[in-house]
Amino acid sequence: MTVGALVVLIVGWLLGYDELVALGVGGLIMLAGSALWLLRTPLVDIERELFPDRVPAGDIAFGRVKVRNRSTRPAAAFVAREQFGDVLLDVEVPHLPPTERVSTAYRLPTTRRGVVSVGPMRIGRADPLGLVTSEQSHGEVLTLWVHPRHTALAPQASQRTRSLEGPSTDSSPQGSITFHAVREYVLGDDLRKVHWRSTARTGTLMVRQYVDTVLPDVTIVVDTSTGAGRPVDADLLERRIEVAASVALASTSRHFPVRVLGTGGLDVSSRGGGNTTRELLDALTLVEPDGGDLSTVLGGMGRTHGGAGLVVVASEPGPTLVDTLARMPRRFGRVTLVDLRPPAHSAADSLGAGVADSPRVAIRGVSVIVASDLAGFATAWRRGGGR
């Protein structure tokens, strides 16, 4: 606008049009007044913090800004703007007497899982005519971790099994302390563990399985894929991650070992205690949709890994996945499939006794929970659907 006012002034002066001269002079006067108005921008020091810096989706998180007036003159109330991801949050700062401090809290939106950059905070001023604006950035960029929602659960019943010496699991399929059972040979087993008498009686190669008297463990495998040829159902993916987080925390909160796997390469283990729960939730927070295959992940586990409990979180498993799951009880003491479906396919009751459009899958040796959300799953789990 400055250039326009000067052009009008010069043209009016050269052509002898007093009206244009007056218009140009008026424009320059307004710009000068606007610039003087901006001199009233608050002179403040700002400190910011988030509490807490990690929160489950939907829970309350706040930002807090501490403002100190550096001027010897009062600072009028103003509105600062906090950058929160891709949006701006307005933060009202009240009137500040000279050299005084004030602390203001403001709520942060935590509706979706993810890692959100918060800041810097912007303080600016615009003249009443909107001709000139001035804005300054204050503070560093902070990070808010919005963890997946989770609910309190008890561990699987098989995880609470006790021997005379302590907790018992079969997490060490190659043998450890106590003889547990005889099972069919799986590729990769130690041939020194072959039980020849059972092999001769059954005609199938059989091996001894041993257990270690350590804390009970659970392996959780969650389908984080988009599904071949299907659009991404972001909401359904969130529900699967929420269920996986809840089952995992049922173990870590009791200092039980847990391992969480995903189809996109997620692989995080915890023995509970310390910061392991936070680290596990951080890893689940970073999960993005992928193009992996759940059957491939489970198939690889069946050859190399076993344990007390296996929980698989998926949605409407197909024939290949069902066949793969049917082999899992050979390696795991307790196998549970959590079949999460969109609300239109939700179970007729809280235990998932039936669904509207497609039947509940039945797999020998596998407990099946059908639910449409975290609350429905938790109800079924607590009533014994996962035990």
Side-chain angles (χ1 to χ4, degrees):
M1 180 173 177
T2 302
V3 174
L6 287 173
V7 170
V8 171
L9 176 61
I10 293 172
V11 170
W13 179 72
L14 292 176
L15 298 179
Y17 288 107
D18 294 338
E19 293 83 357
L20 291 179
V21 172
L23 184 61
V25 170
L28 292 175
I29 291 174
M30 286 191 297
L31 288 171
S34 298
L36 290 174
W37 181 273
L38 295 182
L39 293 178
R40 298 181 58 192
T41 299
L43 297 175
V44 295
D45 290 328
I46 288 182
E47 297 179 13
R48 298 159 42 251
E49 62 179 340
L50 308 179
F51 59 98
D53 62 355
R54 284 171 167 79
V55 62
D59 277 17
I60 295 176
F62 287 98
R64 181 165 57 195
V65 56
K66 299 177 182 178
V67 184
R68 184 179 72 88
N69 184 3
R70 293 192 287 113
S71 174
T72 56
R73 295 180 300 175
F78 62 93
V79 176
R81 296 193 298 172
E82 180 79 287
Q83 187 77 41
F84 186 84
D86 297 329
V87 301
L88 288 172
L89 306 177
D90 288 341
V91 182
E92 295 185 0
V93 180
H95 169 83
L96 270 172
T99 70
E100 290 294 317
R101 296 175 181 267
V102 68
S103 178
T104 299
Y106 48 99
R107 187 164 179 173
L108 301 173
T110 60
T111 54
R112 299 293 294 180
R113 172 183 62 90
V115 182
V116 186
S117 297
V118 184
M121 179 167 280
R122 302 175 185 178
I123 295 178
R125 194 172 181 86
D127 69 280
L129 298 177
L131 300 177
V132 180
T133 59
S134 175
E135 193 171 65
Q136 299 175 347
S137 295
H138 292 261
E140 60 183 0
V141 176
L142 307 177
T143 301
L144 177 67
W145 290 76
V146 183
H147 286 158
R149 289 196 311 144
H150 49 270
T151 190
L153 300 173
Q156 278 185 313
S158 61
Q159 292 179 260
R160 297 196 297 271
T161 302
R162 298 291 188 268
S163 71
L164 294 177
E165 301 179 12
S168 173
T169 77
D170 52 2
S171 59
S172 181
Q174 298 302 321
S176 180
I177 297 176
T178 305
F179 175 74
H180 176 59
V182 175
R183 58 170 175 77
E184 291 185 17
Y185 171 84
V186 177
L187 184 64
D189 282 336
D190 188 347
L191 292 176
R192 291 174 297 180
K193 306 302 181 183
V194 172
H195 193 271
W196 296 110
R197 184 176 299 177
S198 298
T199 298
R201 184 174 65 254
T202 61
T204 302
L205 193 61
M206 307 292 288
V207 295
R208 298 180 182 88
Q209 184 172 2
Y210 293 85
V211 298
D212 193 0
T213 53
V214 295
L215 290 174
D217 69 286
V218 64
T219 299
I220 303 162
V221 185
V222 55
D223 186 0
T224 56
S225 69
T226 59
R230 296 203 302 262
V232 178
D233 189 334
D235 188 66
L236 194 57
L237 175 61
E238 290 303 310
R239 303 293 84 80
R240 294 199 292 261
I241 294 175
E242 291 170 0
V243 167
S246 300
V247 177
L249 265 61
S251 292
T252 60
S253 62
R254 293 164 175 80
H255 300 271
F256 291 171
V258 64
R259 183 185 183 193
V260 182
L261 300 171
T263 51
L266 173 69
D267 188 349
V268 57
S269 300
S270 168
R271 299 196 68 85
N275 294 323
T276 54
T277 295
R278 187 183 73 176
E279 293 168 358
L280 190 150
L281 287 174
D282 283 354
L284 287 171
T285 300
L286 296 172
V287 169
E288 297 288 345
D290 58 76
D293 180 70
L294 187 58
S295 297
T296 301
V297 176
L298 289 171
M301 285 176 47
R303 294 188 294 271
T304 61
H305 184 73
L310 172 66
V311 179
V312 178
V313 186
S315 298
E316 298 184 277
T320 302
L321 180 56
V322 169
D323 290 343
T324 304
L325 284 169
R327 296 192 292 271
M328 292 297 104
R330 301 177 185 177
R331 282 288 192 176
F332 293 88
R334 186 74 173 180
V335 180
T336 301
L337 167 66
V338 182
D339 183 0
L340 287 174
R341 304 183 181 184
H345 298 269
S346 59
D349 59 32
S350 60
L351 289 179
V355 293
D357 294 20
S358 53
R360 170 174 168 168
V361 65
I363 308 173
R364 184 174 181 180
V366 178
S367 300
V368 180
I369 295 175
V370 178
S372 61
D373 55 23
L374 180 61
F377 157 75
T379 300
W381 181 276
R382 291 171 185 139
R383 291 183 179 180
R387 301 186 183 183

